[in-house]
Amino acid sequence: MQITADHVTSFLQLVAERVKEQREYLTRLDAAIGDADHGVNLDRGFSTVMSKLPTATDRSISGLLKLTGMTLISTVGGASGPLYGTAFLRAGTAIGDRATIGAEELIAALSAALEGIQTRGKATRGEKTMIDAIAPAIDALKEQYAASGDLLAAMRAAVTACEQGMIATEPMLATKGRASYLGERSIGHRDPGAASAFLMAQAMLATLERAVQG
C-alpha cells in the first residue's frame, strides 16, 4: 500500500483524539515519577497541531510531519515536546519530497525518528524512557516486514512489542530525566513517555487498518 498525506492527517487526528481521551491517565503516570503534566502537555501540543492543519501551506507528508514537530517543540513543556518534536522533524526530513511512501520509506522514517529521540535525549535502552517502547517496536517492524512483506502484519507485531516495552519500564530504575532524581523510588512505575509512545503506535496501526479497508 501507499501512504498519502491524507493518511498522515488521519493519523495525527487520531493521536490528538486519543491523547485527549488518555490525558488524565498519562498525567497520573507522570505524577508518580515526574512533573504530573505529561498528558496535559501532549494534549495541548496535539490540539495546537489540529488547529494549524486546516491552514497549513505545505500539505505534503513531509510538510505535515515538520509542522507537527515544530508545533510540539514550541507548545509542549518538559522533555516530551523536544523529544517528540524532534522525532516528527526527523521523520519528515527522511521522507523528503515524496508525495506517497511505501513500507520501506515508512520504516526508514520511523528509524530516523527514533535516532532523533536518542540524540536529543542522550538516552539508550534500559533507562526507563520512551525509547524502551519505541526501539523494540521498530525492531519488530523491521523483522516482521523483512520476513513477510506484509506491512499490516509488521505493524501489529510492532504494536505488541511496543506494549511489552512499555510494561517492561515498570521494574526499571530511571537514569534519565526527572524520574532519575527519585533513584530507587522510580522502580515499580510505568514510564509516561513509553505509555504515550504506545498510544501513538496504536493510532498508527488503526490508521493503516482503516486505509487497507478503504
Side-chain angles (χ1 to χ4, degrees):
M1 67 172 293
Q2 288 293 303
I3 296 165
T4 68
D6 286 344
H7 293 135
V8 174
T9 299
S10 296
F11 163 69
L12 294 172
Q13 289 171 337
L14 191 53
V15 170
E17 290 170 11
R18 294 194 176 181
V19 165
K20 191 171 291 295
E21 290 168 3
Q22 299 297 321
R23 180 176 61 188
E24 299 309 319
Y25 160 69
L26 293 172
T27 296
R28 281 199 308 273
L29 291 179
D30 198 33
I33 58 173
D35 293 326
D37 59 3
H38 187 59
V40 173
N41 283 345
L42 274 187
D43 182 31
R44 180 173 62 249
F46 278 99
S47 294
T48 305
V49 171
M50 287 300 100
S51 72
K52 290 184 175 182
L53 284 183
T55 56
T57 54
D58 184 353
R59 302 193 64 81
S60 66
I61 295 175
S62 178
L64 294 173
L65 293 175
K66 289 180 178 179
L67 171 66
T68 300
M70 290 185 289
T71 302
L72 295 180
I73 289 171
S74 64
T75 60
V76 179
S80 59
L83 292 174
Y84 277 131
T86 299
F88 278 96
L89 287 173
R90 290 288 186 91
T93 298
I95 289 166
D97 60 0
R98 295 180 179 89
T100 64
I101 61 171
E104 292 180 1
E105 291 86 6
L106 175 62
I107 291 169
L110 292 172
S111 298
L114 172 60
E115 290 170 10
I117 292 171
Q118 290 174 317
T119 302
R120 186 71 183 253
K122 297 180 174 62
T124 57
R125 300 188 199 206
E127 295 185 300
K128 200 183 184 87
T129 71
M130 61 178 67
I131 291 169
D132 292 303
I134 298 170
I138 292 176
D139 283 348
L141 180 66
K142 290 177 178 176
E143 290 166 10
Q144 184 65 35
Y145 185 72
S148 69
D150 184 335
L151 177 59
L152 210 50
M155 188 58 69
R156 289 181 181 127
V159 170
T160 298
C162 190
E163 182 176 25
Q164 291 170 345
M166 171 188 70
I167 293 168
T169 64
E170 292 175 14
M172 288 181 182
L173 173 73
T175 58
K176 279 288 185 293
R178 181 65 180 268
S180 66
Y181 302 159
L182 296 175
E184 291 192 357
R185 285 181 294 155
S186 66
I187 295 173
H189 298 285
R190 181 173 297 182
D191 180 69
S196 59
F198 175 55
L199 181 154
M200 292 185 203
Q202 288 179 305
M204 189 173 298
L205 173 58
T207 302
L208 290 175
E209 287 176 333
R210 291 175 187 177
V212 169
Q213 292 165 2

